[in-house]
């Protein structure tokens, strides 16, 4: 994990999951997200200490374990004023909700409750209902509503630098995933369009690198979402009688040369595929129905 400076007061730890850092004053500083686990947070604290950079605040962009898993350790070490957007805060406080929703509400068995799907509970001091300005002592920063990858994900803008959370991915990561995790395709695309219009001088994604000119990366993300949407539609269009969502997941992953390695991973792809389907259903291009006691998705075109 490398500690990189962006502006005089804005930094980030670049790793498989990025962690932002903002120095507000000699006595106040904020982390943006907390990494996957204790180990990552230990490195963060060691680096900040060696550079005499304060940490008093923590902002969690969204409740995915790779972004908040290190928070519990941080909160055990010291007092840290923790903020999170409304719906995400509910999951941070009750992290079993993630395996619970991925597995359709069934009480998850132990192997589904791994550290990638469920971190330790996080105490949240302030629940942010809406995006806007947040004050920290004499300083302030902006939050921006970027739903789609997660229900109520917020980005952070400070000194014109956007911390975009997982609203977009670095190009390499995007192609590595094949089908990025989303919960709402329409919102995902709208959030990307929103980012394009933000007057920022640089952006850091949750996974990837800081870029001054991030617009081509945003364009690349939009392109990938369009391609996946089109792929799913064309796969369904070929099947006159429709197919099950699971079959569609399998076909889409095979088409994208993705090898699904375990059950939780299948469920993540299932959620992402369904998130594109709900967009197509809302547009009247696809329908979901029950036929012969089977859940079937089919193209609406007759
Ligand atoms: Zn995420």
């Amino acid at each position: 994990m490398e500690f990189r400076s962006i502006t005089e007061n804005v930094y980030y730890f670049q790793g498989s999951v990025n962690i932002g850092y903002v120095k507000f004053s000699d006595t106040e500083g904020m982390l943006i997200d907390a990494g996957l686990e204790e180990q990552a947070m230990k490195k963060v604290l060691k680096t900040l200490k060696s550079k005499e950079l304060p940490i008093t605040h923590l902002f969690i962009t969204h409740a995915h374990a790779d972004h908040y898993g290190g928070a519990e350790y941080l909160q055990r070490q010291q007092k840290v004023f923790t903020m999170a957007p409304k719906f995400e805060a509910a999951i941070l406080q009750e992290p079993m909700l993630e395996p619970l929703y991925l597995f359709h509400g069934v009480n998850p068995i132990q192997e589904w409750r791994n550290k990638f799907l469920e971190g330790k509970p996080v105490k949240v001091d302030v629940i942010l209902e809406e995006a806007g300005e947040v004050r920290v002592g004499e300083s302030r920063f902006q939050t921006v509503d970027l739903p789609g990858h997660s229900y109520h994900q917020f980005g952070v803008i400070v000194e014109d630098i956007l911390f975009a959370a997982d609203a977009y991915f670095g190009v390499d990561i995007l192609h590595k995933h094949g089908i990025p995790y989303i919960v709402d395709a329409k919102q995902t695309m709208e959030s990307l369009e929103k980012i394009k219009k933000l007057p920022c001088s640089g952006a850091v994604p949750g996974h990837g690198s800081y870029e001054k000119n991030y617009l081509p990366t945003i364009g690349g993300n939009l392109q990938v979402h369009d391609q996946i949407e089109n792929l799913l539609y064309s796969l369904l269009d070929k099947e006159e009688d429709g197919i099950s969502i699971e079959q569609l997941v399998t076909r889409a992953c095979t088409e994208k040369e993705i090898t699904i390695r375990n059950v939780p991973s299948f469920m993540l792809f299932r959620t992402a595929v369904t998130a594109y389907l709900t967009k197509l259903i809302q547009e009247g291009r696809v329908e979901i129905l029950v036929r012969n006691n089977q859940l079937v998705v089919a193209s609406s075109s007759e």
Side-chain angles (χ1 to χ4, degrees):
M1 215 164 36
E2 204 183 321
F3 190 53
R4 297 188 169 179
S5 112
I6 300 173
T7 69
E8 202 187 325
N9 297 309
V10 179
Y11 306 77
Y12 80 112
F13 292 87
Q14 183 165 23
S16 55
V17 190
N18 297 326
I19 299 175
Y21 175 77
V22 184
K23 183 187 175 191
F24 291 119
S25 68
D26 288 340
T27 52
E28 283 176 313
M30 175 173 81
L31 285 176
I32 301 165
D33 288 336
L36 175 67
E37 53 196 333
E38 193 171 315
Q39 255 176 321
M41 187 49 67
K42 275 184 181 161
K43 284 186 199 154
V44 165
L45 292 181
K46 201 174 152 195
T47 304
L48 294 179
K49 197 177 172 193
S50 73
K51 297 188 182 296
E52 294 181 353
L53 291 167
I55 157 167
T56 49
H57 291 69
L58 169 65
F59 188 96
I60 305 279
T61 59
H62 67 296
H64 286 165
D66 56 340
H67 290 255
Y68 76 81
E72 186 265 353
Y73 174 78
L74 172 63
Q75 293 184 338
R76 248 192 298 135
Q77 298 310 303
Q78 62 171 88
K79 224 176 108 193
V80 59
F81 189 83
T82 304
M83 296 165 271
K86 189 178 166 191
F87 200 88
E88 306 297 328
I91 302 169
L92 293 172
Q93 294 170 87
E94 294 290 350
M96 196 186 80
L97 284 169
E98 184 174 350
L100 191 71
Y101 66 65
L102 281 175
F103 288 90
H104 308 171
V106 78
N107 195 12
I109 59 172
Q110 210 52 45
E111 65 168 287
W112 301 341
R113 302 184 62 181
N114 65 47
K115 68 177 177 184
F116 299 103
L117 299 186
E118 181 181 342
K120 291 183 180 149
V122 179
K123 283 186 234 104
V124 181
D125 297 296
V126 163
I127 295 170
L128 301 167
E129 304 256 342
E130 278 173 37
E133 192 177 80
V134 179
R135 290 187 65 156
V136 173
E138 298 293 299
S139 315
R140 42 195 91 207
F141 65 91
Q142 295 287 331
T143 64
V144 51
D145 200 11
L146 298 173
H149 166 77
S150 186
Y151 312 98
H152 204 194
Q153 171 176 264
F154 277 7
V156 170
I157 302 172
V158 63
E159 291 190 359
D160 282 346
I161 303 300
L162 169 68
F163 286 91
D166 290 352
Y168 75 91
F169 295 99
V171 172
D172 295 354
I173 288 124
L174 195 63
H175 292 289
K176 200 180 96 190
H177 286 189
I179 300 175
Y181 181 80
I182 57 169
V183 298
D184 189 313
K186 186 168 176 276
Q187 288 183 344
T188 297
M189 296 184 200
E190 285 169 356
S191 289
L192 287 166
E193 294 294 344
K194 188 190 271 185
I195 290 176
K196 275 195 195 171
K197 296 190 192 98
L198 291 173
C200 291
S201 55
V204 188
H207 309 268
S209 301
Y210 166 71
E211 288 178 303
K212 271 190 180 155
N213 182 15
Y214 50 89
L215 291 180
T217 306
I218 303 298
N221 275 254
L222 278 163
Q223 215 173 13
V224 164
H225 293 302
D226 271 335
Q227 279 166 1
I228 298 168
E229 184 186 317
N230 292 336
L231 169 66
L232 295 174
Y233 185 76
S234 71
L235 288 171
L236 286 177
D237 211 27
K238 273 189 235 160
E239 302 286 333
E240 260 180 44
D241 299 327
I243 51 174
S244 72
I245 291 180
E246 276 78 10
Q247 282 173 308
L248 183 61
V249 172
T250 304
R251 282 180 207 180
C253 286
T254 306
E255 200 72 38
K256 300 286 289 176
E257 297 177 354
I258 296 165
T259 308
I260 305 178
R261 305 213 176 266
N262 53 48
V263 176
S265 174
F266 189 95
M267 298 314 268
L268 291 166
F269 282 114
R270 189 190 191 282
T271 300
V273 165
T274 313
Y276 290 100
L277 289 180
T278 50
K279 179 173 183 286
L280 291 167
I281 293 166
Q282 284 167 322
E283 290 167 357
R285 299 171 68 200
V286 161
E287 51 189 353
I288 184 160
L289 59 153
V290 177
R291 192 185 286 148
N292 301 326
N293 280 352
Q294 238 201 336
L295 191 63
V296 169
V297 281
S299 153
S300 304
S301 63
E302 292 301 313

